[in-house]
Amino acid sequence: MPNWLNDAVFYEIYPQSFLDSNGDGIGDLNGITEMLDYLKEEGFNAIWLNPCFDSPFKDAGYDIRDYKKVAERYGSNEDLINLFHEAHERGIHVLLDLVPGHTSEEHPWFRQSQSQEMNPYSNRYIWTDFCFRPAAGYPFISGESERSGAYILNFFKCQPALNYGFLHPTEEWQFPMDHPDCIATRESMKDIMRFWLEQGCDGFRVDMASSLVKGDDEQKSGTSLLWRNVRKWLDIHFPNAALVSEWGNPVQALNAGFHMDFMLNEPGRGYNRLTRDYQNHSRKIILARDGFIGDDSPRPILEDHSYFRADSNTDALPFLQEYMRDYETTKSLGYISLISCNHDTVRPSYNMNTRELKLFYSFLLSMPGVPFMYYGDEIGMRYQNLPSKEGGYFRTGSRTPMQWEHTPNLGFSETTITSSLYLPVDPAPDAPTAEDQITDPDSLLNSVRAMTTLRHQISDLKATPNLRILYAEKGNPLCVFQRGHLIIAMNPSMETRDLILSDEQIHATQKRLGIEKSEIRFPDNSGKLLYKVGNGTYDVSAQYLHIEPQSFVIFQ
């Protein structure tokens, strides 16, 4: 396990939307380098950089044409290497986005694979053995290649699936995982990883990490075996490099060799219930409807019982029951990563105000594991209802340019041609900016900075697995938990909440969460208030907590 992860607080950067350094309307690598001091000042000491490689950009860079070449619109390989260097000078680590499941249909590997004549790349992708033979159970394309066969897709039409084999082949055209050509695909990914790690990259976020081996079982046995092979190689050659998976199942992902796994925003899941419960109350897909597709319709009125909303009056149990199950199983293996948002998710400010966001981010930054914040969330950037750009669809509204200051284009770009901007900036007169919030002591940004500072200063608040839930109960929004010698309480509701912590209360909470009953030992606390949003008091002698409405407090 790379030691630096214990103190890491990540910041996800969508390169085309962060800062345009050359005035062409598109963010670039030199723009990111320019703003490294901002990240350091706000307490972010690690970056996850979304794909910056050569691409036709039919899926915003997740359709890669050359894994070893930076896309011209972002700069050059030398610019990326300089970013690594400048980040390291400031104590910041940088993860690149590895897309191992598919390439662009314009990748040279795929162009050669399309040839009827056999060559070293014929089996780099998954093909059926006849132009009219469908790939049953998988999306596929036929009729576009010289080769007589159909090829499997992962997502969009432009993304042919790379061939890591099938767990249990059932057709002649399906290869087992140990076929030499499937092993060659795996080794080609290692070669790409080696290339960038030798240039100064600190690891990778892995896109759709659970989906490589086809026909896999529910336990993802085949894909897990593949990643354990990669992890073994990584530990030997690059032991300080980190891997975080887009898997959404920490038990599987961490056992497969990843150091971290994201909790993802999937409807009905515990994380989703914290901030985006509005996705759970319709038979239709909310994100494919009016208000998310760039139409002119008014913002939809959605039922929403998200935990951190003051008016929801819900409890934290749906999240905690799922989280604690995974946490107890994996705490010795690696880290669960909570996110504020990401490039595939509607921004949390869509349905929450500044006070609610302060509570959510305080929680995010006080939990064990390695937290990730999406660019602009720290200032409360708003979701914009925009037409699809580069395959973004509803996601496009969360990918707008970073808002730096109240100058043209909100400081993102000096271009005078508004139409050349990657996406339009927030047009509202009160659009939040970093400049405004840096000087406002009560701003969301300064709340985030205070919490990241505390996390870096106090060992009990780092990634270390020292979590114990002390109180959570159905129908009560109050939640109390312990991190080492710290007692942390949150009350997102609009009513004051009081609690006497007792052995009976804690044992009842453990039972609700499916945690084995354990001996109760309260830390030797002074009751000193270390951090607050809102207010609260803690009488240590009586174990009595008084937490005011919409408050998050940390006691020593």
Side-chain angles (χ1 to χ4, degrees):
M1 179 67 68
N3 291 332
W4 61 269
L5 286 178
N6 188 47
D7 189 41
V9 179
F10 274 89
Y11 189 83
E12 179 190 352
I13 295 180
Y14 203 62
Q16 54 266 61
S17 296
F18 196 60
L19 184 69
D20 168 21
S21 70
N22 61 5
D24 66 357
I26 297 177
D28 48 52
L29 295 174
N30 288 337
I32 297 169
T33 302
E34 216 176 293
M35 300 310 298
L36 289 173
D37 287 335
Y38 166 80
L39 298 186
K40 183 177 180 179
E41 289 166 6
E42 300 311 323
F44 299 107
N45 59 3
I47 293 169
W48 158 25
L49 185 61
N50 291 117
C52 57
F53 311 113
D54 180 49
S55 169
F57 294 105
K58 295 180 180 179
D59 188 18
Y62 283 91
D63 51 324
I64 295 174
R65 186 165 49 201
D66 187 340
Y67 286 98
K68 296 182 179 180
K69 178 184 177 184
V70 167
E72 289 184 8
R73 75 184 194 181
Y74 299 137
S76 65
N77 284 23
E78 289 71 25
D79 292 331
L80 181 54
I81 293 167
N82 182 59
L83 171 58
F84 295 150
H85 172 74
E86 292 296 327
H88 294 161
E89 287 289 305
R90 294 163 175 81
I92 297 172
H93 292 82
V94 183
L95 301 190
L96 295 180
D97 214 320
L98 182 69
V99 185
H102 54 263
T103 67
S104 163
E105 60 189 349
E106 296 182 21
H107 196 292
W109 294 347
F110 186 67
R111 292 301 191 214
Q112 294 187 63
S113 189
Q114 288 179 296
S115 173
Q116 185 62 34
E117 184 178 344
M118 290 296 292
N119 62 72
Y121 298 97
S122 294
N123 297 321
R124 181 57 54 90
Y125 301 82
I126 306 172
W127 293 82
T128 68
D129 52 8
F130 183 53
C131 58
F132 293 115
R133 189 188 301 280
Y138 298 93
F140 67 91
I141 295 286
S142 60
E144 289 201 354
S145 302
E146 170 189 299
R147 177 175 181 167
S148 178
Y151 59 89
I152 288 178
L153 303 172
N154 268 353
F155 300 103
F156 293 162
K157 178 260 179 191
C158 62
Q159 294 166 321
L162 286 162
N163 189 5
Y164 295 91
F166 285 72
L167 183 63
H168 299 296
T170 58
E171 304 284 348
E172 288 188 10
W173 51 269
Q174 297 176 359
F175 292 180
M177 291 176 57
D178 59 358
H179 189 283
D181 290 345
C182 300
I183 293 174
T185 304
R186 183 194 70 199
E187 294 305 302
S188 72
M189 281 301 136
K190 288 182 187 175
D191 177 63
I192 292 161
M193 295 169 72
R194 180 188 296 106
F195 177 83
W196 288 113
L197 289 166
E198 288 178 346
Q199 304 300 324
C201 165
D202 297 298
F204 301 90
R205 173 267 187 185
V206 180
D207 182 64
M208 299 303 295
S210 66
S211 64
L212 299 191
V213 174
K214 303 306 180 186
D216 216 344
D217 56 23
E218 290 186 5
Q219 291 73 40
K220 299 293 181 180
S221 303
T223 299
S224 295
L225 183 64
L226 185 154
W227 284 117
R228 282 194 286 272
N229 176 279
V230 173
R231 171 65 184 273
K232 182 178 180 180
W233 167 82
L234 198 70
D235 285 348
I236 293 171
H237 299 285
F238 302 97
N240 287 318
L243 291 177
V244 57
S245 56
E246 184 190 26
W247 197 304
N249 187 323
V251 175
Q252 290 182 357
L254 300 183
N255 275 291
F258 284 91
H259 302 100
M260 303 167 277
D261 184 42
F262 291 125
M263 292 203 83
L264 299 173
N265 181 57
E266 298 172 351
R269 295 284 299 272
Y271 168 78
N272 176 266
R273 301 278 290 276
L274 292 178
T275 59
R276 298 176 181 87
D277 180 69
Y278 56 84
Q279 295 180 337
N280 298 321
H281 303 286
S282 174
R283 294 181 180 179
K284 297 180 179 179
I285 300 174
I286 292 293
L287 302 179
R289 296 171 60 185
D290 295 349
F292 297 95
I293 55 176
D295 56 335
D296 294 325
S297 61
R299 175 172 165 156
I301 299 174
L302 303 172
E303 183 179 352
D304 186 6
H305 306 289
S306 296
Y307 172 71
F308 282 104
R309 281 181 59 107
D311 60 0
S312 74
N313 221 34
T314 54
D315 56 74
L317 283 175
F319 168 78
L320 290 174
Q321 287 167 339
E322 183 178 315
Y323 178 88
M324 291 305 295
R325 178 199 67 208
D326 291 344
Y327 169 81
E328 292 291 342
T329 306
T330 63
K331 61 185 179 183
S332 65
L333 299 173
Y335 300 124
I336 297 174
S337 286
L338 297 175
I339 63 174
S340 67
C341 182
N342 66 20
H343 60 287
D344 290 333
T345 307
V346 175
R347 287 192 182 271
S349 61
Y350 178 79
N351 62 321
M352 295 197 294
N353 61 33
T354 297
R355 182 60 168 263
E356 292 162 345
L357 291 173
K358 286 183 179 182
L359 299 179
F360 172 45
Y361 296 164
S362 298
F363 166 74
L364 178 81
L365 293 166
S366 66
M367 288 288 279
V370 181
F372 283 69
M373 185 161 287
Y374 187 50
Y375 83 95
D377 279 354
E378 76 277 16
I379 60 172
M381 276 180 58
R382 300 162 181 154
Y383 178 82
Q384 306 293 316
N385 182 18
L386 295 172
S388 181
K389 172 86 170 188
E390 295 183 350
Y393 299 99
F394 76 89
R395 305 172 297 178
T396 303
S398 293
R399 301 174 175 182
T400 54
M402 177 64 181
Q403 296 158 198
W404 295 106
E405 58 191 22
H406 285 289
T407 57
N409 305 319
L410 296 181
F412 164 70
S413 173
E414 294 182 356
T415 183
T416 57
I417 306 171
T418 305
S419 61
S420 70
L421 291 175
Y422 177 71
L423 286 169
V425 298
D426 185 344
D430 65 344
T433 68
E435 181 183 54
D436 288 347
Q437 295 197 19
I438 285 171
T439 57
D440 176 4
D442 193 43
S443 69
L444 179 61
L445 179 62
N446 277 313
S447 174
V448 170
R449 179 191 288 188
M451 193 61 227
T452 58
T453 299
L454 196 65
R455 185 178 176 102
H456 293 312
Q457 290 175 344
I458 300 178
S459 59
D460 281 341
L461 282 176
K462 298 182 191 295
T464 307
N466 60 357
L467 175 68
R468 190 168 64 149
I469 307 300
L470 302 180
Y471 177 78
E473 186 173 8
K474 189 172 180 61
N476 191 339
L478 180 64
C479 179
V480 183
F481 57 100
Q482 179 183 342
R483 299 283 318 275
H485 290 84
L486 306 176
I487 298 294
I488 302 171
M490 56 185 179
N491 172 23
S493 76
M494 301 174 74
E495 299 177 7
T496 298
R497 303 285 169 171
D498 297 286
L499 177 71
I500 296 177
L501 282 173
S502 65
D503 291 4
E504 292 75 16
Q505 287 277 21
I506 296 171
H507 285 147
T509 295
Q510 291 174 339
K511 184 176 181 180
R512 293 180 197 113
L513 299 178
I515 299 171
E516 186 177 344
K517 186 177 179 179
S518 61
E519 181 182 357
I520 304 303
R521 291 184 180 179
F522 290 105
D524 184 17
N525 289 86
S526 65
K528 178 183 178 182
L529 186 61
L530 296 180
Y531 172 88
K532 67 176 183 177
V533 174
N535 209 353
T537 57
Y538 176 32
D539 182 338
V540 176
S541 61
Q543 290 300 324
Y544 172 70
L545 286 160
H546 173 82
I547 311 300
E548 295 186 6
Q550 288 193 280
S551 292
F552 183 99
V553 286
I554 301 178
F555 299 100
Q556 191 174 48

